[in-house]
Amino acid sequence: MTASALADVAPRRRQFLLLCLGALGVVYGDIGTSPLYALRECFGGEHHLRVDGANVLGILSLVFWALALVVSSKYLAYVLRADNRGEGGVLALMALAMERGAASRAKSPIVIALGLFGAALLYGDGMITPAISVLSAVEGLELVTPAAAQWVVPLTVIILVALFVAQRAGTARVGAVFGPIMLVWFATLALLGARAILRHPSVLAALSPHYAVAFFVANGWLGFLVLGSVFLVVTGGEALYADMGHFGRSPIRRTWLVLVWPALLLNYFGQGALILSSPAALANPFYRSAPSWAVVPLVVLSTAATVIASQAMITGAFSLTRQAMMLGFWPRVRILHTSSSQIGQIYVPSTNWLLMLATVALVLGFRSSAALASAYGIAVTTTMVITALLAHVVARRRWGWSPWSALGVTAAFLVVDLAFLGANATKVAKGGWFPLLVAALVFTAMTTWKRGREVLGERIRAQVVPIEDFFELMHTERPERVPGTAVFMTSNLGAAPPALMSNFLNNRVVHEQIVLLTIVVTERAREPEEHRIEIDDLPLGFTR
């Protein structure tokens, strides 16, 4: 390797490590804070599952295989391959599924409906995730002093408002601050878990799927319902794909395999070991796994981590808004690009403030993480089913997989996804209706806006006059040429803009200088100077 090549390696490696750190702080916050409440909900909540060795090992086995099948296999190995010009998420997947000639367009309405509803569901989840994450951490103050219970909701609201205000700094800066905190968080998860496992190493037997099967056999219908709580350990999985445009595929994969997955497994198994040795710890196994002197620092760290956990869904919502706008399903809104090197790092003010208002309303309405857990999960599980179906279409149309190969992989993932969806469907009457209602409203808005644009476009196209015909008309009609320069926006390079035609027909005047301006959005974060503008001189004082 030459000296110049070696000189290039170090900056690239540094950039890659920075992206990994940013991904740790933004992408993995949601799934990384599930240990705060997931195992507690499996045994507590409304299930009242008996605490014994078989049930603890069964739950831990389900946790391990859920993370292995849903996150590692489905999202990291399979879905992240569906890279739509660097972007991820259900709308990017929908666009990929439709990118194939006329032969496949007959199925496009179904693909579009699935993609839009999946995106709409993620908006609902983006409202619930910050609320349940921060509430679950701040509730740890009640372990320090019961008098703190009255301050949980006000503190949560203050923290959430501060989080949304910080979004304008951009994903890169937010990730640079959050990344080191999450590094400490995952290290703490691993240490707490390893400490408990050393005292009760028999829990490692739960790595065998035998215990998961035995759990269902022993508990029947109750075991199936508990799946709705087990699902809490993978709720951040969809965000890994939605946030791909912010950091790229490789940093997200590497960070999961090297740090996040091992730390999560250690902590879940450590909580299981603690419950086996001390069933009373079930009230809050996460905080009970720490020494008494460490509870207050752990509450502070947990609060910081749960604030960061909200970031994955917030940035995912920004990406979805931009994609919906580019595909014509959303009104044009202000989008700020916050990075000079990563085109996917954006800030959307309107989406940010709407999410903030909805999240604060959820905290004030539900008032506890346990109550919000009933509303959590149904949106994500439905989106995961939609993602599996759209990925099947992409595998067939884009990747050229054989029907049997694509069907086999899709069926394997759907078995898991549909089981989680069925278990979470029981939550609809207890709060799960909220994300479904939000999704229905967003879906209606998207489809209405798209149809409205199509109707308007048809009317405009019916009145379009080719620019050459307009020049002939000027020779014939000889309108008054008034001093000054007029700029007309146009998306059709070969036509006279409707606004220009309206001015010509109604006022019979045309400015001396006319600029026809077309803005093209490229796929690169920064265009070279020589490519930023293209000028064509046209007759009669026109410039395009």
Side-chain angles (χ1 to χ4, degrees):
M1 187 177 289
T2 64
S4 60
L6 284 172
D8 289 338
V9 168
R12 284 202 302 270
R13 184 173 297 169
R14 182 175 181 275
Q15 177 68 15
F16 180 79
L17 291 175
L18 287 174
L19 286 172
C20 288
L21 189 63
L24 188 66
V26 172
V27 177
Y28 287 111
D30 186 3
I31 200 169
T33 52
S34 294
L36 280 165
Y37 48 81
L39 220 61
R40 181 192 69 198
E41 290 300 318
C42 288
F43 286 94
E46 60 185 29
H47 305 307
H48 303 295
L49 190 65
R50 189 174 69 256
V51 179
D52 58 31
N55 283 342
V56 170
L57 292 178
I59 291 292
L60 292 178
S61 185
L62 287 172
V63 167
F64 171 76
W65 288 104
L67 290 170
L69 295 174
V70 175
V71 182
S72 298
S73 301
K74 179 184 175 181
Y75 281 96
L76 273 298
Y78 179 59
V79 176
L80 252 65
R81 294 185 59 197
D83 182 335
N84 191 348
R85 300 178 183 89
E87 289 286 350
V90 69
L91 285 182
L93 192 60
M94 178 193 79
L96 278 177
M98 293 192 301
E99 281 185 7
R100 188 83 181 266
S104 64
R105 286 188 184 158
K107 298 179 181 177
S108 289
I110 298 175
V111 171
I112 291 171
L114 286 173
L116 291 182
F117 194 64
L121 284 164
L122 281 181
Y123 280 108
D125 188 58
M127 298 171 183
I128 297 176
T129 297
I132 190 173
S133 298
V134 179
L135 265 174
S136 62
V138 178
E139 284 168 352
L141 290 173
E142 297 177 25
L143 294 178
V144 180
T145 169
Q150 60 182 325
W151 295 103
V152 169
V153 171
L155 278 175
T156 299
V157 171
I158 292 170
I159 290 168
L160 286 171
V161 170
L163 170 67
F164 283 100
V165 168
Q167 294 304 311
R168 66 180 300 108
T171 309
R173 291 181 182 176
V174 170
V177 174
F178 286 175
I181 296 174
M182 291 308 293
L183 189 60
V184 174
W185 170 253
F186 283 110
T188 302
L189 290 183
L191 288 172
L192 290 176
R195 176 174 174 266
I197 291 171
L198 287 174
R199 296 178 179 177
H200 211 305
S202 62
V203 293
L204 295 176
L207 294 172
S208 168
H210 159 77
Y211 290 96
V213 175
F215 175 80
F216 288 124
V217 172
N219 290 283
W221 178 246
L222 177 61
F224 177 74
L225 293 179
V226 170
L227 270 182
S229 297
V230 173
F231 180 75
L232 294 173
V233 307
V234 297
T235 47
E238 189 69 31
L240 308 189
Y241 184 45
D243 285 330
M244 184 167 68
H246 290 263
F247 299 100
R249 180 192 305 142
S250 186
I252 291 174
R253 282 177 173 166
R254 195 75 60 86
T255 305
W256 169 258
L257 293 172
V258 172
L259 176 61
V260 177
W261 194 17
L264 287 175
L265 289 177
L266 283 170
N267 195 263
Y268 283 125
F269 276 67
Q271 288 188 42
L274 177 65
I275 293 170
L276 280 177
S277 59
S278 177
L282 186 59
N284 205 319
F286 176 78
Y287 286 111
R288 298 291 187 192
S289 64
S292 57
W293 59 266
V295 171
V296 173
L298 191 57
V299 169
V300 174
L301 179 60
S302 300
T303 303
T306 52
V307 169
I308 296 167
S310 310
Q311 191 65 43
M313 293 311 302
I314 294 171
T315 52
F318 293 164
S319 296
L320 283 175
T321 300
R322 177 177 180 269
Q323 292 167 21
M325 193 180 78
M326 299 296 288
L327 291 169
F329 290 100
W330 201 261
R332 293 195 177 274
V333 295
R334 188 180 184 212
I335 293 179
L336 302 179
H337 288 265
T338 59
S339 170
S340 61
S341 59
Q342 297 293 318
I343 194 169
Q345 293 187 7
I346 57 175
Y347 167 63
V348 186
S350 57
T351 301
N352 186 62
W353 303 126
L354 285 173
L355 283 177
M356 184 192 77
L357 292 174
T359 300
V360 170
L362 281 170
V363 171
L364 296 175
F366 284 87
R367 306 190 70 82
S368 75
S369 62
L372 265 173
S374 297
Y376 202 35
I378 186 69
V380 191
T381 48
T382 308
T383 305
M384 286 181 170
V385 170
I386 291 172
T387 297
L389 294 173
L390 291 178
H392 173 80
V393 178
V394 172
R396 292 282 294 117
R397 295 182 184 178
R398 299 273 302 179
W399 301 340
W401 285 21
S402 69
W404 290 111
S405 297
L407 186 62
V409 171
T410 303
F413 290 136
L414 279 179
V415 167
V416 179
D417 291 342
L418 290 173
F420 281 132
L421 178 61
N424 277 287
T426 60
K427 300 179 179 181
V428 172
K430 301 169 184 174
W433 56 267
F434 176 80
L436 295 178
L437 175 63
V438 170
L441 294 174
V442 173
F443 179 82
T444 302
M446 284 180 167
T447 51
T448 302
W449 180 262
K450 180 68 170 179
R451 181 56 187 155
R453 281 176 53 89
E454 289 173 351
V455 171
L456 181 62
E458 289 167 1
R459 293 184 179 181
I460 291 175
R461 282 191 294 273
Q463 302 172 4
V464 162
V465 175
I467 194 69
E468 292 80 7
D469 293 352
F470 180 75
F471 292 151
E472 290 293 331
L473 197 60
M474 285 188 62
H475 282 300
T476 305
E477 299 288 337
R478 296 191 175 277
E480 184 72 21
R481 303 300 296 265
V482 297
T485 300
V487 180
F488 293 92
M489 301 288 291
T490 178
S491 59
N492 189 336
L493 295 178
L500 172 62
M501 284 300 303
S502 177
N503 191 46
F504 173 78
L505 295 173
N506 294 320
N507 301 321
R508 295 292 170 180
V509 297
V510 176
H511 287 77
E512 289 179 348
Q513 297 293 326
I514 298 290
V515 176
L516 306 179
L517 178 61
T518 301
I519 293 179
V520 179
V521 178
T522 67
E523 297 299 329
R524 287 186 283 188
R526 187 175 292 277
E527 282 291 334
E529 290 281 355
E530 62 271 18
H531 293 161
R532 293 185 186 180
I533 187 166
E534 185 178 320
I535 300 174
D536 293 330
D537 290 321
L538 302 176
L540 303 176
F542 279 66
T543 302
R544 180 166 57 203

